[in-house]
Amino acid sequence: MNLAVLRQTWFGNVRGDLLAGVVVAFALIPEAIAFSIIAGVDPAVGLYASFAICVVIAFSGGRPGMISAATGAMALLMVTLVREHGLQYLLAATVLTGVIQIIAGYLKLGVLMRFVSKSVVTGFVNALAILIFMAQIPELTNVGWQTYAMVAGGLAIIYLLPRLTKAVPSPLIAIVVLTAMAMFMGMDLRTVGDMGELPSTLPMFLLPDIPLNFETLLIILPYSATLAVVGLLESLMTATIVDDLTDTPSDKNRECKGQGLSNIVAGFMGGMAGCAMIGQSVINVKSGGRGRLSTLAAGVFLLFMIVVLGPWVAQIPMAALVAVMIMVAIGTFNWGSIRSLKDHPKSSSFVMLATVVVTVATHDLAKGVFTGVLLSGIFFAQKVARIVAVRSTEVDDGRGREYVVLGQIFFASADAFVNSFDFKEAVEHVSIDVSRAHFWDVSAVAALDKAILKFRREGTTVEVIGLNEASATMVDKFGIHDKPGALERLLSH
């Protein structure tokens, strides 16, 4: 990376990055505590993880301006490990998660994002927006009118203040103003301090206190592998979304390595595994954060607030943070996708809706994305299979026939390819021109074998012309029509 790019990604937006980092730090505190509770560990574990991951990923990540920390999706995967084996095994699993992610980065698995369609990304975004909003419902249930008034006031500040000035992020002003009002008026509101005790000491480097043997590896490996996959999936999806929000590119393979390094550091500092957070990333971008400095500032301010300003931070009313997260949910949801349902192809709309439904129903973003990718693959295969065409013309005064094949021959179109030939026609010879076709897999080669051998069984000679180099390699390697006993092998199936 040259010096100009380095300067731009770090110092191209200093004021905006620092202010956005403060807003993100405020929003990270209650979520880190909540995710720690979900995982069954002390709040300090999630807070220390969020600090360590934010700071490390600021330097090592592939997507400037993206926020990574402890997340709910990762926390859910840790519950059984913590319950059955304890915190020390979780720390070891976090370190191993990082190692696996770094290996994935060197294997360049970040390129797999090319196989995630736009419909899946839209469904992922919409589902996440719904989940973010649903997560605020407990804070709005069975509460007094003061809470609703504070949330409404917070939303008013967030949306109206930018019309007057954009000098300071409106979510930050909302948090400060509502906290001051709550403290001055002595309102009986649920606060950040009610969620769990904030740590008052700096995190320290420590080695997990577990036996270093093969049995330990067998215990933590399944959890680490799952955490690594889910973490990378969410991080790469979030990177794609931030790419779109900022109209800037990211290095997906570097992001894999960066996530791995940040998780290794988190594990050695007493933290749980984490990954990119779309909610906080959207807060960062909408608050003016663009560079790596915003991510670093979020991590540093987070630690400063919980260690130095802990008593004050504990007084922040949850209503203020609920207002910020509702803003994130509204801003994250792709409202245009609803209007597009009637205009887009039915398969694309179905993929998007399926991704949303599965994600919201399971509260697992990975399952939703896997469902969307699988459906996208099925619909794509069906669509490609339908554009295979075989045209035929008589030659040699009816004594022969020429077939011209157009399209992609693979497992989904193999049957259509075979059914396009008339094997009972009384002709002496047949030529099959495949110069405008491509044979992709063993199913395609088997279909060609079947067509050739069926013609030969009827006493017709067959010539295949126009095989491109890749298709010819496949046919030479896996085809049987030119091998001894080919007809017998066909009849035996």
Side-chain angles (χ1 to χ4, degrees), residues 218-236:
L218 291 179
I219 292 173
I220 65 174
L221 181 58
Y223 294 97
S224 295
T226 306
L227 287 167
V229 171
V230 172
L232 288 182
L233 180 62
E234 290 204 36
S235 298
L236 297 178

Side-chain angles (χ1 to χ4, degrees), residues 43-247:
V45 176
L47 291 166
Y48 287 158
S50 295
F51 156 71
I53 294 172
C54 255
V55 170
V56 175
I57 205 70
F59 294 92
S60 62
R63 170 64 262 178
M66 190 166 75
I67 305 298
S68 296
T71 66
M74 300 286 270
L76 288 170
L77 300 173
M78 306 169 187
V79 175
T80 304
L81 177 62
V82 173
R83 184 175 63 243
E84 295 182 358
H85 300 283
L87 173 62
Q88 297 301 317
Y89 279 83
L90 172 60
L91 301 182
T94 297
V95 174
L96 182 57
T97 296
V99 172
I100 295 172
Q101 290 176 328
I102 289 176
I103 293 172
Y106 278 106
L107 292 176
K108 301 188 182 303
L109 296 185
V111 299
L112 294 178
M113 280 303 297
R114 291 184 301 181
F115 298 98
V116 180
S117 68
K118 179 67 175 176
S119 299
V120 176
V121 174
T122 302
F124 172 85
V125 169
N126 289 347
L128 200 55
I130 294 170
L131 290 177
I132 290 172
F133 182 80
M134 290 173 61
Q136 311 314 310
I137 293 178
E139 298 293 338
L140 299 171
T141 307
N142 299 322
V143 295
W145 66 269
Q146 291 179 324
T147 300
Y148 296 117
M150 292 288 273
V151 172
L155 288 171
I157 293 172
I158 288 170
Y159 285 109
L160 296 179
L161 184 63
R163 298 187 178 185
L164 300 177
T165 177
K166 295 183 180 180
V168 181
S170 59
L172 177 58
I173 298 299
I175 293 171
V176 173
V177 170
L178 296 186
T179 302
M181 286 179 59
M183 294 176 67
F184 180 75
M185 300 174 67
M187 293 181 177
D188 183 20
L189 298 171
R190 178 172 162 82
T191 65
V192 169
D194 294 330
M195 297 192 66
E197 185 178 356
L198 298 176
S200 57
T201 59
L202 295 172
M204 295 184 297
F205 179 85
L206 53 88
L207 293 173
D209 185 16
I210 57 171
L212 300 176
N213 54 35
F214 187 67
E215 183 180 354
T216 298
L217 180 63
L218 291 179
I219 292 173
I220 65 174
L221 181 58
Y223 294 97
S224 295
T226 306
L227 287 167
V229 171
V230 172
L232 288 182
L233 180 62
E234 290 204 36
S235 298
L236 297 178
M237 291 289 286
T238 303
T240 300
I241 293 164
V242 177
D243 289 352
D244 292 338
L245 287 174
T246 60
D247 290 323

Side-chain angles (χ1 to χ4, degrees), residues 428-439:
E428 297 177 6
H429 58 87
V430 162
S431 70
I432 303 175
D433 183 352
V434 293
S435 57
R436 285 182 279 180
H438 189 91
F439 291 78

Side-chain angles (χ1 to χ4, degrees), residues 65-68 238 242 276-286:
M66 190 166 75
I67 305 298
S68 296
T238 303
V242 177
M277 306 180 77
I278 186 172
Q280 273 63 27
S281 297
V282 171
I283 290 176
N284 189 44
V285 172
K286 291 189 177 297

